[in-house]
Amino acid sequence: GAGVSQSPRYKVAKRGQDVALRCDPISGHVSLFWYQQALGQGPEFLTYFQNEAQLDKSGLPSDRFFAERPEGSVSTLKIQRTQQEDSAVYLCASSPEGVGDTQYFGPGTRLTVL
Amino acid sequence: GENVEQHPSTLSVQEGDSAVIKCTYSDSASNYFPWYKQELGKRPQLIIDIRSNVGEKKDQRIAVTLNKTAKHFSLHITETQPEDSAVYFCAASIGPGANNLFFGTGTRLTVIP
């Protein structure tokens, strides 16, 4: 079946622009995660949804970052007034349900802020 | 929160040799430890995982060991092949109710033909 997909794959934004990154999880997966991966680093947790409920947003670096999953399926990560330090790969992962379930990652969106 | 450290950051081995990557974690509540392989520009892919009620798990050429007392876990790849070359990440998850993964900083493995 189809894996996790993300769009766009690449995004270039001028500093100060708003961006929206989309994640389509595996159909039926309850949990959805967003991670930020800086160059040469491991992914860092941003936020977590269980169905439509955002249960943990402790990793969001500032109030410029906002995520939603209104119908419990597709999720959007929005970054307002982008800054150069926001440049990174944004990874989405989904898992069926439950604690410690396997997380399946999407290909990521590479965001470059000029 | 959880802190995962990973060593070495780079590792070169001859084809056919074994490779070992080690990770430590800080929070004794962590109970799930996956390993991901990430090729350049690609998504992280799960290669093996272990839960805290198990000490060792093996899948063909790949094995993972867990020492809960010492809070460390290791990835072992035997009979390495050039296609094993990639960046490997260990991770830990604290549960229940906190599924997010805490990742190590990665190990770049190069298998020399």
Side-chain angles (χ1 to χ4, degrees), chain A residues 13-91:
Chain A
K14 292 184 179 179
R15 188 162 56 92
Q17 282 184 331
D18 298 348
V19 298
L21 313 180
R22 176 187 169 107
C23 172
D24 282 84
I26 294 172
S27 178
H29 277 195
V30 169
S31 299
L32 185 146
F33 305 82
W34 284 98
Y35 293 86
Q36 181 189 61
Q37 186 175 25
L39 189 65
Q41 299 295 315
E44 291 195 355
F45 169 75
L46 294 177
T47 187
Y48 158 58
F49 291 85
Q50 189 172 81
N51 295 307
E52 69 278 4
Q54 189 174 19
L55 298 187
D56 187 348
K57 53 182 181 179
S58 62
L60 296 176
S62 78
D63 58 8
R64 297 186 295 103
F65 287 71
F66 172 77
E68 60 184 5
R69 194 187 185 197
E71 297 179 358
S73 179
V74 171
S75 178
T76 303
L77 176 67
K78 297 179 180 178
I79 309 173
Q80 297 177 323
R81 305 181 303 281
T82 52
Q83 304 293 315
Q84 284 190 323
E85 60 263 29
D86 300 335
S87 296
V89 174
Y90 291 85
L91 293 164

